[in-house]
Amino acid sequence: EIVMTQSPATLSVSPGERATLSCRASQSVSSNLAWYQHKPGQAPRLLIYSASTRATGIPARFSGSGSGTEFTLTISSLQSEDFAVYYCQQYNNWPPALTFGGGTKVEIK
Amino acid sequence: QLQLQESGPGLVKPSETLSLTCTVSGVSISNNNYFWGWIRQPPGKGLEWIGSFYFSGSTHYNPSLKSRVTLSVDTSKNQFSLRLNSVTAADTAVYFCARTPVGAPSEFYFDFWGQGTLVTVSS
């Protein structure tokens, strides 16, 4: 099973600042990686797929990069609505396996 | 407008079967452009994919849960369901239903999710 490790577990950022979230795969997943945003009590939202393609309706301040084993989600200027938990997910060895990272919580500094 | 809504008992006894339904509105489950599936999140832990199906074809399960999981569909109600048998406390989680667009063979991400429903396994 491919293990996805996200860091840091918690990121404290002031509104307007840049946030950089990391996701590492235990083996190469090529560019087969997605990022999601999840707020308590809400449905998770797809932000990025194929490592760097923004999903429909996602603001340009969200960007994804990386390939192989190292990936980054960058939020260029944090807005109040961006404070949430972010998850990465690999789908390189689909089927049958899909695995998620443990999440990074972005909180207000 | 697309909506996915999970429903089912919030409390299940150990060794019994957990049954949940996802009601889809805004698109037909029999639309061949999508997979439909389930993901769960135990309290304080990360997300775990359970399984997904394609209406006109295959069903795929997480190998770690495959022996206990069954997915089914009711097109007359535009619903799909999850059954997880022989549950233990480790199956306590928020259960989400979600949609996957059919794309390149290697692509499998979830573009739309329900809000989730908490299921507690306890006597």
Side-chain angles (χ1 to χ4, degrees):
Chain A
E1 175 181 295
I2 298 177
V3 178
M4 307 301 292
T5 302
Q6 290 187 243
S7 61
T10 303
L11 185 61
S12 298
V13 186
S14 299
E17 289 188 339
R18 182 186 193 93
T20 303
L21 289 67
S22 295
C23 175
R24 174 176 293 178
S26 60
Q27 64 190 74
S28 177
V29 297
S30 186
S31 295
N32 294 313
L33 185 109
W35 289 94
Y36 303 88
Q37 177 193 68
H38 189 205
K39 299 178 183 178
Q42 296 187 18
R45 179 169 72 145
L46 174 68
L47 300 174
I48 301 285
Y49 62 93
S50 298
S52 61
T53 303
R54 271 190 303 275
T56 303
I58 300 303
R61 64 180 181 274
F62 291 92
S63 63
S65 63
S67 66
T69 62
E70 300 283 345
F71 300 87
T72 300
L73 175 69
T74 301
I75 311 171
S76 60
S77 177
L78 270 159
Q79 307 298 302
S80 58
E81 62 267 30
D82 299 336
F83 293 97
V85 180
Y86 292 82
Y87 295 95
C88 60
Q89 176 228 329
Q90 70 80 19
Y91 45 90
N92 188 63
N93 55 344
W94 164 265
L98 304 169
T99 50
F100 292 86
T104 290
K105 181 180 181 180
V106 177
E107 63 176 25
I108 300 175
K109 186 174 182 180
Chain B
Q1 182 180 359
L2 178 63
Q3 286 190 324
L4 281 70
Q5 181 65 58
E6 305 87 351
S7 60
L11 181 65
V12 181
K13 290 182 168 56
S15 80
E16 295 190 346
T17 297
L18 179 160
S19 295
L20 294 175
T21 296
C22 181
T23 301
V24 179
S25 55
V27 66
S28 172
I29 288 179
S30 57
N31 184 317
N32 287 329
N33 292 319
Y34 302 106
F35 280 83
W36 304 92
W38 294 90
I39 299 108
R40 69 180 183 179
Q41 184 174 33
K45 297 186 178 181
L47 296 161
E48 179 181 38
W49 170 69
I50 299 170
S52 297
F53 74 94
Y54 179 65
F55 179 76
S56 298
S58 55
T59 301
H60 300 278
Y61 297 113
N62 186 324
S64 68
L65 296 169
K66 185 175 183 178
S67 63
R68 298 194 292 131
V69 174
T70 303
L71 302 189
S72 59
V73 59
D74 184 342
T75 54
S76 67
K77 296 180 180 178
N78 214 39
Q79 295 175 335
F80 62 98
S81 297
L82 165 70
R83 287 175 58 88
L84 178 67
N85 58 37
S86 305
V87 298
T88 69
D91 295 309
T92 294
V94 175
Y95 286 77
F96 300 94
C97 55
R99 184 185 81 170
T100 295
V102 173
S106 63
E107 287 191 344
F108 207 92
Y109 51 84
F110 304 95
D111 72 338
F112 206 87
W113 300 57
Q115 290 189 324
T117 187
L118 174 63
V119 179
T120 301
V121 178
S122 175
S123 56

